[in-house]
Amino acid sequence: MSKSSQKFDVHQEITNRIVDALETAGEFQLPWIRNKGGSFARPVNIASKNPYNGVNIVSLWVSAQAHDYPSNLWGTYRQWQDQGCQVRKGEKSSLVVFYKTLQFEQQNEQSGELENGERMFARASWVFNAAQVEGFDAVEQELPEEPAFDPVARAEAFAATTKAVIVEGGDKACFIPSQDMIRMPERRRFTGTQTTTPVEAFYSTLCHELVHWSGAKSRLDRDLSGRFGSDSYAVEELIAELGAAFLCGDLGLALEPRADHACYIKNWLSVLKNDKKAVFTAASKASQAANWLINRESAA
């Protein structure tokens, strides 16, 4: 079978792009960790004004980092045209995925009667960043302004509204399931990096542990053992890492690149290469956790 006649596999294509980014991201730098000069907010669709979710966040962050796009606004060729903009000639699109529901009839094996059924299937869509279009300035002025807030104050309020038990002390950040408690080193012990302040480092680490906390049986009941078996620990760490990135984007914080990322990357690459849908599952679970945690803030 010729390459041109092979069916396009959106799961494999997005996974390949993320694997490539991980393999070339640098010693401790991950595709979803942006420096302060770039756009770290969640990618937003220009037509709906809604943020992307799940694997599309990761896919577009990877693309934005690879091409150094400063904006978090994306849209299809037609969506940009509808906004009075024009994608520049020669610009390459980025891949996102959306799911459509297919209705079908099937016969009940026991009664023999026809029943209605539904099946979800993935469809690829190709989008362009605002940096790739002409006439973007006029559109940008029409978009709602980002709400002004003190990132540290909001992060403190966010952590409090989760109702998680957070104890500062010791030299390790971790979630202890048997005690349903998050343990964090004292905040004064955190140090900054070239792109992250000590305060941001503390809260980004806390977000990582809060994502772990969200997966407890009494909350989101995130059991990965059935799907990933011995790889479930690596996938849970990827979920926590992605979830922390999503939360930091929502809270206006930079994500702290930690030294332990290097050993995690090797495990993540192994899982992603062996299962083309693993990153979809991880990103979906991370998005679910981040949204669940953020919603607790708005409900408080």
Side-chain angles (χ1 to χ4, degrees), residues 33-34 36 40 151-152 155-156 159 166 168 172-174 182-210 240-241 244-245 247-248 251-261:
I33 298 176
R34 304 300 306 278
K36 291 185 179 180
F40 187 63
V152 176
E156 192 71 30
I166 303 167
E168 293 185 34
K172 185 178 180 180
C174 59
I182 293 172
R183 183 170 290 280
M184 291 282 295
E186 293 179 6
R187 58 190 68 198
R188 62 182 176 81
R189 298 181 59 181
F190 281 77
T191 58
T193 67
Q194 291 183 342
T195 59
T196 309
T197 68
V199 172
E200 290 169 334
F202 171 80
Y203 286 112
S204 65
T205 301
L206 178 57
C207 284
H208 180 105
E209 301 307 329
L210 280 168
E241 194 68 22
L247 288 169
C248 285
L251 297 172
L253 297 166
L255 187 60
E256 164 74 349
R258 298 190 301 276
D260 56 3
H261 285 160

Side-chain angles (χ1 to χ4, degrees), residues 70-91:
S71 175
N72 69 319
L73 294 175
W74 300 80
T76 65
Y77 189 92
R78 176 167 292 183
Q79 286 173 338
W80 282 116
Q81 283 191 322
D82 290 343
Q83 297 290 335
C85 301
Q86 182 60 49
V87 176
R88 297 188 189 92
K89 187 176 181 180
E91 292 286 353

Side-chain angles (χ1 to χ4, degrees), residues 162-178:
T162 66
K163 306 297 185 183
V165 177
I166 303 167
V167 177
E168 293 185 34
D171 57 3
K172 185 178 180 180
C174 59
F175 167 55
I176 306 173
S178 61

